Amino acid sequence: MNMAASARAQVLSLYRMMLKESSRFPSYNYRTYALRRVRDAFRANRKVEDPKSVERLMEEGRQALALIQRQVSIGKMYGAQKTVVE
């Protein structure tokens, strides 16, 4: 596997993990917002090919994933009332 394919696999893995974690938000509003932000961020950076830029974006993504995981944990501690759309 060459370098570009390896980086692509890592990006796709991070993308899937972020979507999976975002879908675990107990609140419908936070969940839909997080999913939309993750998709939009990856789409906006879809054409980036410079290895240093890709690595910087990957690090930002890993930090965002950690933030999502913390927020999901906090959200589960404090149960929110269900909205009409749920």
Side-chain angles (χ1 to χ4, degrees):
M1 193 185 302
N2 65 18
M3 202 83 144
S6 173
R8 179 175 167 78
Q10 289 177 349
V11 169
L12 288 173
S13 174
L14 179 63
Y15 178 67
R16 285 189 202 105
M17 284 191 292
M18 290 180 80
L19 288 178
K20 184 177 178 182
E21 284 300 314
S22 295
S23 68
R24 295 177 61 209
F25 271 107
S27 165
Y28 171 81
N29 290 328
Y30 287 125
R31 187 170 52 248
T32 55
Y33 175 76
L35 289 167
R36 185 174 64 245
R37 288 280 303 178
V38 168
R39 287 185 185 115
D40 289 350
F42 275 81
R43 279 190 193 118
N45 294 301
R46 177 181 221 154
K47 304 282 188 218
V48 175
E49 293 183 8
D50 175 50
K52 288 187 181 191
S53 295
V54 170
E55 187 52 43
R56 179 182 52 79
L57 290 166
M58 283 290 292
E59 184 53 37
E60 288 174 14
R62 286 189 279 271
Q63 290 174 4
L65 176 61
L67 180 115
I68 291 168
Q69 289 169 331
R70 286 192 305 270
Q71 290 302 118
V72 166
S73 295
I74 291 168
K76 288 185 176 182
M77 283 184 217
Y78 305 100
Q81 195 171 9
K82 297 280 184 193
T83 60
V84 175
V85 292
E86 293 180 276

